[in-house]
Amino acid sequence: MVDVALESGSAIAVGAQADRAKALQRLRIGDIVFRNITRAAAIIVLLILGGIILSLIQGAAPALHKFGFGFLTSQAWNPVTEKFGALAPIYGTLVTSLIAMLIAVPVGLFIAMFLTELCPMWLRRPIGIAIELLAGIPSIIYGIWGLFVFAPFLQQHVQPAIIAVFGDIPILSDLFAGPPYGIGVFTAGLILAIMVLPFITSISRDVFEAVPPVLKEAAYGLGCTTWEVSRHVVLPFTRVGVIGGVMLGLGRALGETMAVTFVIGNAHRISPSLLAPGTTISATIANEFTEAVGDLYTSSLIALGLILFVITFIVLAAARLMLMRLNARVGR
Amino acid sequence: MAIYDSRRRRNRVAKVMAVGATVFGLAWLVLILAVLLWEGFSGLSLAVFTQMTPPPGSAGGLLNPIVGSLIMTVIAVAIGTPLGILAGTYMAEYGRYDKLTIVVRFINDILLSAPSIVIGLFIYEVMVAQMGHFSGWAGAMALAVIVVPVVVRTTEDMLILVPDTLREAAASIGLPRSLMIRRVAYRAARAGMVTGVLLAVARISGETAPLLFTALNNQFWSLNLNAPVASLPVVIFQFALSPYSDWQKLAWTGALIITLAVLALSIIARTLAAQRKSS
């Protein structure tokens, strides 16, 4: 009797222990599986980038092989004779982005200064959100608005005035030579400025807010004005972050497609006048890709995409490195 | 005294510039929304949601592009969200200080702002050129590639905010790590992760460039994802640039629909995020 009871008792114990071990084993396997699935997902993110680069290189290979380095320096764009060069789109991309940054950087910094130094507390959040909503509006909306509202307005009211004012000044008269088309490089640059404004504003505001109050109070205590505090204390302290934000905005401006496609005019030439139609890399691809006949044409467009990706990659990588450096400093 | 005056004057000028810049920025938002409401509302009617895109010169609606956009958005989110959440989980939970995480975070941030037209080219090369035809699947994949970095970013950020004491408490009662993540960390970070998905949806619902040469466009009613599929942004692009005034009218209406949807999504996302902060 005693023996039997003992035996059955220990059998139960052994059984329970085996169950326990099995459950633990299952949990351990589950753990390993889940960990590896998440790890694989993280690696897939890397593979996406690798895939983008490789597929672009592969697609661009025929054009790059045919035209070589001359692809970058040639202005030709002739689907009939199959002569393609990227200079005009590259020029358009750089110039529209430059115009955008020249306008958006000072405006964005002033808005950030307003939001952090001047604005009453209760208005800060609503205004900040409203500016950020500008970033939420899809780029095609900017495009349709630019085409039907903004470009005609510029054509009728603004551009004739610009042409008249700068007409007698040597260099500027070439930069702003007529006729007023409405659409063109200048208009595209203005719309890009509106589109990147929220990026620059929100990052500048965030880094301005991170300035230790002691620094500002010390400067105010010495009798500095609001402007002097912003210019000589806040801005130098946040320089790295601001440049990072500006580069981020620049990355956006360089790659922006739809808004520019609507208003740039898609002309494959480099005009000295900013008011003339031009084209950008992204607008060329968007306009012509589905209509491209022949492998060389398609390949040239993909090569344009590759150039765009390389440019934006460098700009964005520089922006991220700067912002990372900033975070490291704040963390310390 | 002169120097004080000039400093004060300069300060006043700067303040005026700051206020002016803010007004300038807000004016664009007001202008764009006002024109959009003005032009879009007049074309808004039931027919927009019940009829197909018309040939030029006749009446019609936007039913097929709206449905096409919805389908591709749902597929893109269904593919991109799990991938993004899993990758974000690795970065925040398993490999927070890994080299891999640092690299992925850096690459992910670049993908986040990469030109969307390049993503269209990528999917064209990988899917459209291989299959030999444009398709709704290719369009959905292109959108999914845009969803992933947004979700990765918010998931990682939100999981890092979860206090370690919660994780330690879960571990102390014997919960294995994978269960701790799924039952405790995900639950604590849920509002933020939902916000991320909503932001991703808002982002892709207006995307045009990656769809131009993946999903292409379709004049007719079609639910076949192996064929070209119409989408709202692409139809707006085509109609707005056309010379026909009734097409342009529909383009404005479509633009209004997209903008309202996107703004509603971002406002919902914001309220969710704000709730999280206050609780």
Side-chain angles (χ1 to χ4, degrees):
Chain A
M1 274 305 276
V2 175
D3 275 2
V4 172
L6 248 179
E7 262 171 26
S8 68
S10 67
I12 290 167
V14 168
Q17 216 157 19
D19 280 353
R20 219 174 119 86
K22 229 182 273 172
L24 272 179
Q25 186 68 24
R26 212 173 47 231
L27 288 176
R28 199 168 299 133
I29 291 173
D31 233 18
I32 293 171
V33 168
F34 189 67
R35 183 196 159 94
N36 282 319
I37 290 176
T38 59
R39 196 183 155 87
I43 292 172
I44 287 178
V45 174
L46 297 184
L47 291 183
I48 291 177
L49 185 88
I52 292 176
I53 295 172
L54 283 182
S55 69
L56 287 179
I57 290 176
Q58 197 203 354
L64 295 180
H65 191 70
K66 173 95 191 281
F67 301 115
F69 191 70
F71 187 71
L72 288 176
T73 55
S74 160
Q75 233 195 99
W77 193 266
N78 193 332
V80 181
T81 58
E82 299 216 306
K83 291 248 180 308
F84 299 102
L87 194 59
I90 292 176
Y91 170 83
T93 300
L94 296 180
V95 171
T96 49
S97 300
L98 181 70
I99 296 174
M101 297 325 277
L102 282 179
I103 297 167
V105 171
V107 173
L109 288 179
F110 268 118
I111 297 179
M113 174 187 154
F114 176 79
L115 285 176
T116 52
E117 297 292 324
L118 300 172
C119 185
M121 275 297 172
W122 59 274
L123 253 178
R124 287 187 186 184
R125 238 179 89 79
I127 292 184
I129 289 176
I131 297 283
E132 277 164 28
L133 279 187
L134 271 178
I137 297 177
S139 69
I140 186 139
I141 309 299
Y142 284 97
I144 187 171
W145 176 81
L147 179 67
F148 289 116
V149 182
F150 195 47
F153 171 78
L154 286 178
Q155 182 178 23
Q156 280 157 24
H157 303 290
V158 179
Q159 291 183 351
I162 293 179
I163 294 167
V165 170
F166 293 133
D168 299 327
I169 308 168
I171 298 170
L172 290 178
S173 69
D174 288 332
L175 267 183
F176 295 100
Y181 290 99
I183 55 174
V185 175
F186 181 66
T187 312
L190 285 183
I191 290 189
L192 280 181
I194 306 170
M195 296 184 70
V196 298
L197 187 59
F199 294 98
I200 295 173
T201 304
S202 67
I203 290 188
S204 319
R205 185 197 55 194
D206 290 350
V207 294
F208 283 6
E209 271 172 355
V211 176
V214 186
L215 284 182
K216 286 195 277 186
E217 282 158 11
Y220 279 123
L222 289 173
C224 287
T225 61
T226 311
W227 165 245
E228 284 161 351
V229 171
S230 301
R231 173 69 191 80
H232 298 294
V233 176
V234 174
L235 202 57
F237 188 83
T238 55
R239 195 180 52 231
V240 180
V242 168
I243 295 176
V246 168
M247 303 274 266
L248 214 58
L250 179 61
R252 288 277 169 163
L254 289 167
E256 180 45 52
T257 309
M258 296 323 291
V260 174
T261 307
F262 272 94
V263 295
I264 191 119
N266 203 32
H268 273 280
R269 59 165 185 268
I270 299 177
S271 317
S273 171
L274 295 180
L275 302 183
T279 192
T280 67
I281 295 177
S282 48
T284 305
I285 302 172
N287 267 318
E288 301 180 21
F289 198 85
T290 43
E291 289 154 20
V293 191
D295 289 343
L296 201 57
Y297 196 177
T298 310
S299 172
S300 299
L301 288 169
I302 295 177
L304 279 182
L306 179 64
I307 295 169
L308 176 66
F309 192 66
V310 171
I311 298 175
T312 47
F313 189 94
I314 293 169
V315 170
L316 291 172
R320 287 298 168 192
L321 285 176
M322 285 182 145
L323 290 173
M324 264 160 71
R325 226 175 76 191
L326 185 80
N327 283 343
R329 198 179 65 186
V330 169
R332 215 188 302 145
Chain B
M1 253 6 234
I3 191 161
Y4 289 124
D5 278 346
S6 86
R7 283 177 58 199
R8 202 172 294 153
R9 222 174 10 251
R10 207 173 295 168
N11 188 41
R12 210 170 301 138
V13 170
K15 279 184 175 173
V16 169
M17 297 269 275
V19 175
T22 310
V23 172
F24 177 82
L26 293 177
W28 295 117
L29 183 69
V30 174
L31 269 177
I32 293 174
L33 290 182
V35 171
L36 202 57
L37 287 174
W38 178 259
E39 297 272 355
F41 253 119
S42 58
L44 209 55
S45 66
L46 198 60
V48 170
F49 300 99
T50 55
Q51 292 180 13
M52 305 300 146
T53 45
S58 57
L62 294 166
L63 178 62
N64 46 336
I66 290 175
V67 172
S69 274
L70 285 178
I71 293 175
M72 285 192 286
T73 305
V74 168
I75 296 176
V77 170
I79 296 171
T81 307
L83 189 60
I85 287 182
L86 287 172
T89 306
Y90 180 81
M91 292 159 72
E93 298 287 342
Y94 285 114
R96 199 177 283 190
Y97 307 104
D98 269 14
K99 278 229 171 63
L100 177 66
T101 300
I102 295 173
V103 175
V104 172
R105 190 180 298 142
F106 184 72
I107 296 300
N108 189 66
D109 280 347
I110 287 179
L111 283 178
L112 202 59
S113 334
S116 55
I117 192 147
V118 169
I119 288 164
L121 286 176
F122 164 55
I123 297 295
Y124 174 86
E125 276 291 303
V126 196
M127 288 182 73
V128 179
Q130 308 301 324
M131 297 194 297
H133 58 86
F134 299 100
S135 71
W137 285 115
M141 281 307 290
L143 295 181
V145 172
I146 297 173
V147 170
V148 172
V150 182
V151 177
V152 169
R153 184 66 193 269
T154 43
T155 306
E156 195 206 352
D157 287 353
M158 290 303 142
L159 284 177
I160 283 179
L161 285 182
V162 174
D164 277 340
T165 42
L166 278 183
R167 297 194 178 90
E168 285 156 10
S172 73
I173 56 167
L175 220 54
R177 203 160 182 182
S178 60
L179 280 182
M180 177 273 283
I181 293 169
R182 276 176 288 174
R183 299 278 163 79
V184 179
Y186 280 176
R187 236 171 249 191
R190 192 167 48 197
M193 285 156 71
V194 172
T195 306
V197 176
L198 288 177
L199 287 178
V201 174
R203 170 93 193 269
I204 60 172
S205 46
E207 279 291 352
T208 321
L211 295 176
L212 283 174
F213 28 83
T214 50
L216 204 66
N217 196 353
N218 195 334
Q219 189 86 51
F220 307 103
W221 175 254
S222 163
L223 292 179
N224 181 4
L225 286 175
N226 277 318
V229 172
S231 62
L232 209 40
V234 176
V235 167
I236 294 174
F237 178 53
Q238 186 200 349
F239 280 16
L241 285 177
S242 77
Y244 314 110
S245 64
D246 41 357
W247 272 17
Q248 291 175 0
K249 190 92 217 160
L250 271 178
W252 275 112
T253 310
L256 178 67
I257 296 173
I258 287 192
T259 311
L260 290 181
V262 169
L263 290 186
L265 277 169
S266 40
I267 288 169
I268 295 172
R270 246 168 227 291
T271 357
L272 268 179
Q275 261 174 8
R276 210 204 109 78
K277 250 175 228 158
S278 63
S279 68

